[in-house]
Amino acid sequence: MAATPPASELSDLVKAVDSSIELVIDHELLRPEHYAGDNPTDPRYTRTAEQQQAYEDLLISADVIFGVPDQSPRLLGHVVRTNPRLRWVHTMPAGGGAQVRAAGLSADELTRVTFTTSAGVHGGPLAEFSLFGLLAGAKDLTRLQELQSQHVWAPHWAMRQLREQTVLILGLGGIGMETARLVSALGARVIGIKRRPEPVPYVDSVHGIEELPRLVAQADGIVITLPGTPYTEKLVDADLIAAMKPGTVIINVGRGTVIDEPALIDALRSGHIRSACLDVAATEPLPADSPLWMMPQVLISPHTAAEDPGKPRRIATLFAANLESFVRGEPMRNVVDTKHFY
């Protein structure tokens, strides 16, 4: 069952895997999208009691669910517990493991149901956003915007060149690897952190997490692509920020919980951190009273950098490939690690 609006191609892709598979898509019961590929969570949308019951009845009759129902961990937990035939749930976000963790499932339930994510389909858009943040920092975008708003033709100053910089990427999954490819193409030296260090294309050197304090002191720009897990929460804390090279640019396209936000704010105020480009926040939506809103050296994107018109088709293609593996009893891609939940 599709628990969230799928790409139009999904039906044909599923039939191509096995024509006997029944794909249930009831658009009247699915939250409407603001645009193609949206993860709809519009609080203004409501179902009637009868529609809600029909929606949940379909969920508890499915062997496979495409999308977390209503993007709600609570409802996901309810469906897993009341549907003993459920075997697989595919989540829309790359960080869908966080939704699974929040569902509060038991060890037996996590063993019975396989959860997969859409990791990899967001790599291109988020890598471009990361490159945008690095260039914005190097080329003094916020300073240029301020001068333009004041109609000031300022004296010349020396801008930084990305090709002369060292960029540290925290997390070398699909997003991190594509970021490395783009950044290295501009001539930057790329270093990276990976839980299991091994050579990665376009990355000059790969290191374990224990080397992070030493590496941040070398980096002119730091790109965070890490998921939100108990192991990554506030990984970038006050001590690590203090160890960073003065004038560092920080880009976060992973999860906002990876950064200790008060410590980041302090470092931005002091000038120790040159600028930040944030697609995510520790609390989303970012509270209206957050100092980050008022900082001219901060660029804030409302967790929208991964959105692009091609995303639904890429997710459907990934799901269909996994469906073929599921039918054959073969290993699937992007299975959630239910210890680390990514």
Side-chain angles (χ1 to χ4, degrees):
M1 178 199 170
T4 195
S8 58
E9 297 93 339
L10 183 64
S11 181
D12 289 340
L13 289 169
V14 168
K15 288 179 182 177
V17 172
D18 187 332
S19 61
S20 68
I21 295 175
E22 179 187 4
L23 174 62
V24 178
I25 307 174
D26 190 333
H27 288 283
E28 291 187 0
L29 300 179
L30 301 181
R31 288 176 180 265
E33 297 176 295
H34 298 113
Y35 55 86
D38 183 22
N39 291 326
T41 55
D42 189 341
R44 295 170 297 180
Y45 171 79
T46 59
R47 300 184 184 93
T48 65
E50 292 78 11
Q51 287 175 322
Q52 185 64 29
Q53 188 61 57
Y55 181 66
E56 294 187 19
D57 286 346
L58 288 175
L59 291 168
I60 62 176
S61 68
D63 300 281
V64 176
I65 296 176
F66 178 84
V68 170
D70 288 348
Q71 301 301 314
S72 166
R74 181 201 60 78
L75 184 53
L76 174 62
H78 170 71
V79 170
V80 171
R81 294 184 184 103
T82 55
N83 181 358
R85 64 185 289 173
L86 184 63
R87 291 294 177 267
W88 171 29
V89 176
H90 181 76
T91 70
M92 298 296 104
Q99 295 176 314
V100 178
R101 183 183 67 212
L105 301 172
S106 69
D108 288 344
E109 290 163 344
L110 291 170
T111 299
R112 172 170 60 86
V113 180
T114 298
F115 299 90
T116 57
T117 75
S118 296
V121 305
H122 311 87
L126 289 180
E128 284 194 12
F129 187 83
S130 298
L131 179 60
F132 163 69
L134 291 168
L135 286 169
K139 304 306 179 186
D140 302 313
L141 174 63
T142 55
R143 182 178 180 181
L144 292 171
Q145 289 176 317
E146 182 180 4
L147 291 170
Q148 183 173 341
S149 70
Q150 297 172 1
H151 300 194
V152 172
W153 187 271
H156 293 180
W157 72 88
M159 290 186 174
R160 301 199 294 183
Q161 308 302 310
L162 197 57
R163 66 176 178 270
E164 297 173 353
Q165 295 187 359
T166 294
V167 175
L168 170 62
I169 301 176
L170 274 61
L172 289 169
I175 300 166
M177 287 193 292
E178 180 62 9
T179 301
R181 186 183 73 82
L182 295 181
V183 172
S184 66
L186 294 182
R189 171 180 174 242
V190 182
I191 55 179
I193 292 290
K194 191 173 173 60
R195 192 158 63 92
R196 297 187 184 91
E198 58 187 2
V200 174
Y202 306 105
V203 180
D204 295 283
S205 60
V206 181
H207 308 266
I209 196 76
E210 69 281 355
E211 295 190 62
L212 198 48
R214 178 179 68 83
L215 296 174
V216 296
Q218 304 175 26
D220 301 284
I222 297 174
V223 177
I224 300 168
T225 74
L226 295 170
T229 75
Y231 301 90
T232 64
E233 186 168 354
K234 294 187 178 178
L235 174 67
V236 181
D237 60 11
D239 289 341
L240 192 66
I241 290 173
M244 291 178 184
K245 185 177 182 179
T248 298
V249 173
I250 291 181
I251 295 90
N252 192 0
V253 293
R255 284 296 179 267
T257 54
V258 177
I259 298 179
D260 181 338
E261 261 182 22
L264 174 63
I265 289 167
D266 288 345
L268 286 162
R269 282 175 172 156
S270 72
H272 181 64
I273 298 300
R274 181 185 182 93
S275 65
C277 186
L278 309 173
D279 184 48
V280 290
T283 300
E284 295 184 3
L286 181 65
D289 61 354
S290 170
L292 291 169
W293 287 113
M294 301 301 294
M295 291 184 159
Q297 70 274 49
V298 177
L299 293 171
I300 295 172
S301 163
H303 207 149
T304 195
E307 307 305 321
D308 79 296
K311 187 180 80 168
R313 174 183 48 78
R314 295 196 301 272
I315 292 178
T317 301
L318 170 63
F319 176 79
N322 263 346
L323 180 61
E324 187 167 0
S325 298
F326 177 79
V327 169
R328 294 179 177 179
E330 298 172 353
M332 294 190 289
R333 290 173 53 190
N334 296 349
V335 173
V336 172
D337 176 335
T338 54
K339 177 182 177 183
H340 300 91
F341 287 99
Y342 71 87

